[in-house]
Amino acid sequence: MTTLYLLGSAAPPVLDIASVIERAQARGYDVCLGLTPSAARWLEPGAAGLERLTGHPVRSGYKAPGARDVWPPADVVLFAPATFNSVNSWALGLTSSFVVGFAAEAIGKGIPLVAMPCVNSAYARHRAFGRSVAELREMGVTVLYGPGGFEPNLPGERRPGGFPWELALDAVDALAP
């Protein structure tokens, strides 16, 4: 079975992560869920259910040096939703959160990576964001942003049809070994 690391940051689509896990499992993936600390706080009331669903601990922090890894090795990674902060931190190599640190290291390990940002149009206009998306793409990350991927909405606006999770899962399918 192919192991998918599903990494998410604190943006509203992360609240639907259980259904995304189920859809990924229906496609044949063994899913391990990693979250930024803020996303973990948002999902904390349902964390035990997410662990039962995946069969793995939900991780939001680095393991202690020398500690056994509680997840099987990743075959492919999906970082979604990836916030403005996560995308910029990742592109700059600032690894203060476990999920950003793992994603940064995965580039060097050659693990296939898909990222789908979730930012509003105000964040998207910040010059650093465009540079970060370009930098990640240059490092080999499939970034689903712009036409055919995530397109920013106005601040506070709900996206008709929701977050395009199926596009992200299709991109994972295309990269999975």
Side-chain angles (χ1 to χ4, degrees):
M1 182 173 279
T2 303
T3 301
L4 167 65
Y5 281 19
L6 176 56
L7 310 177
S9 357
V14 81
L15 299 173
D16 298 325
I17 207 76
S19 70
V20 178
I21 292 166
E22 290 170 340
R23 285 183 267 172
Q25 290 171 330
R27 291 175 182 229
Y29 294 102
D30 178 21
V31 181
C32 298
L33 178 61
L35 302 166
T36 61
S38 293
R41 280 191 300 278
W42 288 11
L43 296 175
E44 200 268 325
L50 292 169
E51 290 185 354
R52 280 192 302 278
L53 181 60
T54 63
H56 303 286
V58 175
R59 292 186 57 192
S60 61
Y62 286 104
K63 67 181 182 66
R68 182 181 70 78
D69 200 334
V70 295
W71 287 356
D75 294 307
V76 63
V77 177
L78 171 58
F79 197 153
T83 60
F84 179 80
N85 183 60
S86 293
V87 169
N88 289 325
S89 296
W90 184 11
L92 290 171
L94 304 175
T95 60
S96 60
S97 74
F98 160 69
V99 296
V100 173
F102 181 84
E105 187 175 31
I107 291 169
K109 290 181 172 181
I111 300 169
L113 288 147
V114 175
M116 185 175 289
C118 182
V119 298
N120 66 41
S121 58
Y123 281 125
R125 282 194 282 282
H126 194 288
R127 290 184 343 181
F129 184 73
R131 286 192 296 257
S132 293
V133 167
E135 184 71 22
L136 290 171
R137 285 177 172 156
E138 288 175 22
M139 288 187 271
V141 178
T142 299
V143 182
L144 303 174
Y145 177 74
F150 179 84
E151 296 191 41
N153 46 293
L154 296 173
E157 178 184 60
R158 289 274 180 210
R159 174 168 304 287
F163 192 68
W165 284 110
E166 291 306 312
L167 291 175
L169 291 172
D170 290 346
V172 166
D173 287 345
L175 292 177

